[in-house]
Amino acid sequence: MGTGINGVVVTGLGATTPLGGDAEATWQAMLRGENGIRAIEEEWAASLPVRIAGRVRQEPAEMLDRVQARRLDRCEQLALVAAREAWADAGRPEVDPERLAVVVGTGTGGALTLLGQDDILESSGVRKVSPHTVPMLMANGPAAWVSIELGARGGAHTPVSACASGGEALSLALDLIRLGRADVVVAGGTEACVHPLPLAGFAQAKAHSTRNDEPAAASRPFDTGRDGFVIGEGAGLVVLERAEFAAARGARVYARLAGAGVTSDAHHITAAHAPGQVRAIRTALASAGLAPADVALVLAHATSTQAGDLVEARSIAEAVGTHAAVTATKSMTGHLFGAAGALGAIAAVRAVYDGVVPATRNLESPDPEIGLDVVVGGPRRMPVPAALANAFGFGGHNSALLFTSA
């Protein structure tokens, strides 16, 4: 069945992000080093300690049928938009529906629906609550809607692992194909929770940047002046196929998903932990049959927190070494939580395919303790035979994905 280490390929990409309304626009904006973080102009943000976010460039409801959009939470809308793009980009594979699966991770699911409908219940009573509330707020909603859209009957799965969710989604998709349970899997992550409550919560936890007057400079991974992440929204999905299936239909292949590693720290609910990250990376390397020296690029999780960036830098140095180029795209997009791992994967895939690495934005005063070859100043043209994409989440979730050239 072609379930060996080289048997899974990437044939389609889809994204909607703070940098662009599709995957190509997002990638080109990354190469230009653009900023996707802006001030929140709504009145509800005026009294908050945090008033910046990375919001998507294109409203998802504008790309959907009006009635359908009203029945979907924003995170479901974003997932559906990205899934449609990825599916079209892959050439809309003709596949047995029972051999087609979907895996869409999310950190908070339909948080906007949950919070919004609770406000309606409190202010206006039960009769004003939407009858679509439950399917809009449930975390498996994005995967379910994508499966309905594509007619996928091989399973619709939802990893909920905070900021590792998107990465874990691709890892599960890899397993489904390697185990012979699917020929094609649409996988990734989605998130939409720019709302007063999450913003206030992260601010109280001192996890979010408070550079409200400098939104473009707020997310600064690996910089000595980093003061927290910036909340973002968006979705990233990819089409993964059994290599033989893709070859038989003459599909264009971006890269191979050669290996994946998923671990848990069992250490602390929020603090990053190097041993778990190192094990995830080493598991991915073993899964791919690669040595640390083979890795040319690391798409770092690098959220722009003081402790988190340093712990990851040490993990990369221990598991991979200091030879690889490293970049941190959250400097441009903010932190997309459940979609972060999937967007990092898309950037890794394009780096492998195009032979170019986007630079890290806002790295003006590199932290001397990082000790890595972080790409700055502009995109770096270089062969990328293997790229590692990291994603780590609250709860001690660690995901590492390895992509290689086709």
Side-chain angles (χ1 to χ4, degrees):
M1 296 294 292
T3 56
I5 63 172
N6 294 315
V8 179
V9 296
V10 182
T11 60
L13 305 174
T16 178
T17 76
L19 291 176
D22 56 45
E24 179 65 22
T26 296
W27 174 242
Q28 294 302 326
M30 284 182 178
L31 294 180
R32 291 191 296 269
E34 292 185 2
N35 165 59
I37 297 166
R38 295 168 181 78
I40 301 172
E41 303 292 349
E42 286 89 339
E43 188 175 331
W44 56 256
S47 62
L48 293 176
V50 171
R51 298 184 296 279
I52 54 176
R55 285 171 149 172
V56 290
R57 279 290 175 92
Q58 186 165 3
E59 280 298 310
E62 296 174 358
M63 305 173 70
L64 301 170
D65 173 84
R66 183 175 60 86
V67 174
Q68 183 183 44
R70 283 174 42 216
R71 296 179 177 180
L72 300 178
D73 181 82
R74 189 173 179 84
C75 79
E76 296 170 337
Q77 294 176 0
L78 293 168
L80 201 54
V81 167
R84 287 177 176 177
E85 183 196 357
W87 193 248
D89 189 44
R92 296 182 173 85
E94 293 185 9
V95 56
D96 179 348
E98 295 185 7
R99 302 284 299 166
L100 171 62
V102 171
V103 189
V104 183
T106 182
T108 62
L112 297 184
T113 292
L114 175 63
L115 295 167
Q117 291 299 312
D118 181 65
D119 288 343
I120 290 172
L121 177 63
E122 294 295 326
S123 64
S124 303
V126 67
R127 291 185 179 276
K128 294 296 183 179
V129 172
S130 169
H132 304 291
T133 294
V134 172
M136 290 174 71
L137 67 83
M138 61 192 194
N140 61 305
W145 279 112
V146 172
S147 72
I148 292 168
E149 172 82 9
L150 301 179
R153 289 183 283 193
H157 307 276
T158 305
V160 180
S161 306
C163 307
S165 301
E168 286 202 19
L170 269 71
S171 177
L172 176 54
L174 176 66
D175 288 345
L176 289 172
I177 297 174
R178 283 184 169 179
L179 291 170
R181 295 175 180 169
D183 292 320
V184 181
V185 183
V186 179
T190 186
E191 203 75 86
C193 58
V194 179
H195 181 279
L197 184 59
L199 284 165
F202 285 127
Q204 287 295 96
K206 308 298 183 185
H208 201 292
S209 173
T210 54
R211 290 176 182 260
N212 296 311
D213 297 330
E214 300 179 285
S219 183
R220 43 198 320 112
F222 302 135
D223 192 86
T224 55
R226 64 190 185 273
D227 70 329
F229 61 74
V230 177
I231 192 170
E233 64 175 7
L237 274 80
V238 305
V239 176
L240 299 173
E241 301 187 37
R242 183 165 55 85
E244 293 90 337
F245 185 90
R249 70 181 190 87
R252 180 265 327 275
V253 172
Y254 285 105
R256 294 180 181 271
L257 176 50
V262 173
T263 65
S264 54
D265 294 337
H267 169 71
H268 191 278
I269 197 65
T270 57
H273 193 48
Q277 296 179 6
V278 169
R279 283 190 297 110
I281 296 169
R282 287 177 172 166
T283 300
L285 286 165
S287 173
L290 296 176
D294 296 323
V295 178
L297 170 65
V298 179
L299 264 295
H301 184 63
T303 63
S304 185
T305 65
Q306 281 288 339
D309 287 6
L310 185 55
V311 169
E312 183 181 12
R314 291 169 176 167
S315 298
I316 292 169
E318 181 176 346
V320 174
T322 58
H323 67 278
V326 176
T327 193
T329 57
K330 292 181 183 67
S331 60
M332 295 174 269
T333 65
H335 191 359
L336 273 59
F337 299 162
L343 184 56
I346 290 172
V349 166
R350 285 303 301 260
V352 169
Y353 188 68
D354 294 347
V356 62
V357 179
T360 300
R361 184 183 170 90
N362 297 326
L363 186 50
E364 299 167 353
S365 176
D367 186 336
E369 292 191 69
I370 296 301
L372 299 173
D373 179 18
V374 182
V375 179
V376 295
R380 182 184 296 181
R381 293 278 174 185
M382 57 178 279
V384 186
L388 172 72
N390 289 335
F392 312 126
F394 279 5
H397 304 281
N398 307 301
S399 166
L401 303 169
L402 268 168
F403 297 93
T404 61
S405 55

